[in-house]
Amino acid sequence: MSLPDFKTMYRELIARPSISALDASLNQSNRAVIELLAQWCEQLGFSTEITELHAAPGKFNLLARRCPPGMAEHSGGLMLAGHTDTVPFDDSRWNFDPFTLSERDNRLYGLGSIDMKGFFAFVLKALEDLKALKQSAPIMILATADEEITMAGAQEIARHSNLKPERCIIGEPTDMVPVYTHKGHMSSAIRITGRSGHSSDPDRGLNAIEIMQQVITNLLQLKEDLKNKYSLEDFAIPYPTLNLGHIHGGDNANRICGCCELHIDLRPLPGLSIAELQALLLQAVAPINAHYPNSVSVLDLHDPIPAFHGTRDCALVTLAEKISGQQAVAVNYCTEAPFLQQLGCETIVMGPGSIAQAHQPDEYLAMEKIKPSQQILTELIKQQCFV
């Protein structure tokens, strides 16, 4: 039985909702996507293993493997990896049904069209086109869960005791430009606990908003310190960034605010560890906590994601540059690469579609990019796994 054509695969992947969200009312299982991919992989002769995540029940990983006779299927070869979940969407800002593949103005619209369900259609099409050739190295297809919030799927795969690919391509949308390194990601909540009371007598309470003002002053100083002390020229934004993203506190104008919470985003460079950055954050709020004992708490909103530290001169980067005609770059966003790299494989991030479309209303794949992206990916797989 042959696979569906490329657009049909795209359509069927997008038609299966698989949203990951911290809000439980929006959060969904990705099981339907995983089972569909497993079915297609099996049609291409892959053995498949579907695993429910320990850290996120109801979410699933798929590991599909195909190996030439006489070779160990768990080691060597190439892993093609991507996540099957998407971000939530704002229905009022979409001009199309997010779960229906819509073709207009030479674009394919749909939630996950480039971030990143669509990558699997490219992979499966490439493998179908190469079926007449002799496979000379193991091929693995990894489809993970929960990348958009916890990266739990990739973290569980990283602890797999029997998986040692030689190389890994993560198909996040890079317009087929190879990415060899990227920043990490921390999201933290800073919570101020004060004492509420009547606004007519300020000294009887402790205003959490006023304390937060002092915290913000120190955080802005930390922001400048990070900018001045750490730098890598590989990145377009060469320093670690700190963003004050969300704040809420208080309930009425005539009450002393008893609680205020600020959510911040930090992006560490390779070489700046999560532990070091967490220590700098605690150091920034320590004087305020000393003055107002136990008033300031710092909490992780999710497990921090370390930076991905690859090198430009590894064989996989060199091959990807040669085939794509593009020089490898460093990027400011983060992916599952630092976890999959723990398997001991050379790793790059490289896939169809533009990162500018990720997490946007009316997410789309430009159709003029389909053929050249397919050619590059097919050639990458061919040169590593076929004779």
Side-chain angles (χ1 to χ4, degrees), residues 277-299:
L277 194 54
Q278 288 174 325
L280 290 171
L281 182 57
L282 291 173
Q283 183 181 324
V285 302
I288 300 165
N289 225 1
H291 189 72
Y292 303 101
N294 302 316
S295 64
V296 185
S297 302
V298 180
L299 310 165

Side-chain angles (χ1 to χ4, degrees), residues 188-192 211-223 225 242 244 262 264 266 277-299:
S188 300
I190 300 178
R191 185 175 300 157
I192 309 299
I211 298 174
M212 184 63 83
Q213 185 272 331
Q214 298 176 45
V215 169
I216 290 174
T217 297
N218 287 14
L219 290 177
L220 292 177
Q221 182 59 57
L222 174 60
K223 179 179 180 179
D225 290 345
L242 188 159
L244 311 180
L262 170 69
I264 64 173
L266 298 106
L277 194 54
Q278 288 174 325
L280 290 171
L281 182 57
L282 291 173
Q283 183 181 324
V285 302
I288 300 165
N289 225 1
H291 189 72
Y292 303 101
N294 302 316
S295 64
V296 185
S297 302
V298 180
L299 310 165

Side-chain angles (χ1 to χ4, degrees), residues 143-331:
T144 62
D146 232 36
E147 187 269 354
E148 295 292 2
I149 51 174
T150 67
M151 299 206 178
Q155 292 190 62
E156 292 195 16
I157 284 290
R159 296 189 291 270
H160 201 295
S161 61
N162 195 27
L163 188 61
K164 298 293 179 185
E166 183 179 0
R167 295 174 178 176
C168 177
I169 299 172
I170 301 170
E172 292 278 4
T174 70
D175 268 337
M176 299 309 293
V177 175
V179 170
Y180 72 94
T181 187
H182 64 61
K183 294 181 181 179
H185 184 216
M186 286 175 55
S187 292
S188 300
I190 300 178
R191 185 175 300 157
I192 309 299
T193 304
R195 291 191 309 276
S196 61
H198 200 286
S199 62
S200 64
D201 192 353
D203 290 340
R204 292 179 66 87
L206 182 62
N207 196 307
I209 293 176
E210 294 180 8
I211 298 174
M212 184 63 83
Q213 185 272 331
Q214 298 176 45
V215 169
I216 290 174
T217 297
N218 287 14
L219 290 177
L220 292 177
Q221 182 59 57
L222 174 60
K223 179 179 180 179
E224 288 303 305
D225 290 345
L226 291 171
K227 185 175 181 178
N228 294 329
K229 290 181 180 179
Y230 303 92
S231 181
L232 280 178
E233 293 182 358
D234 306 57
F235 292 88
I237 301 170
Y239 49 85
T241 56
L242 188 159
N243 179 63
L244 311 180
H246 170 70
I247 191 168
H248 61 275
D251 53 20
N252 207 45
N254 64 359
R255 276 171 55 85
I256 297 167
C257 177
C259 186
C260 185
E261 187 165 300
L262 170 69
H263 294 179
I264 64 173
D265 171 288
L266 298 106
R267 304 277 172 157
L269 293 168
L272 177 59
S273 71
I274 296 294
E276 185 177 357
L277 194 54
Q278 288 174 325
L280 290 171
L281 182 57
L282 291 173
Q283 183 181 324
V285 302
I288 300 165
N289 225 1
H291 189 72
Y292 303 101
N294 302 316
S295 64
V296 185
S297 302
V298 180
L299 310 165
D300 289 332
L301 291 171
H302 58 73
D303 289 341
I305 301 160
F308 164 47
H309 196 180
T311 60
R312 267 204 177 106
D313 58 359
C314 79
L316 180 55
V317 170
T318 301
L319 178 62
E321 287 182 325
K322 178 183 177 182
I323 293 173
S324 68
Q326 301 278 350
Q327 186 175 9
V329 299
V331 295

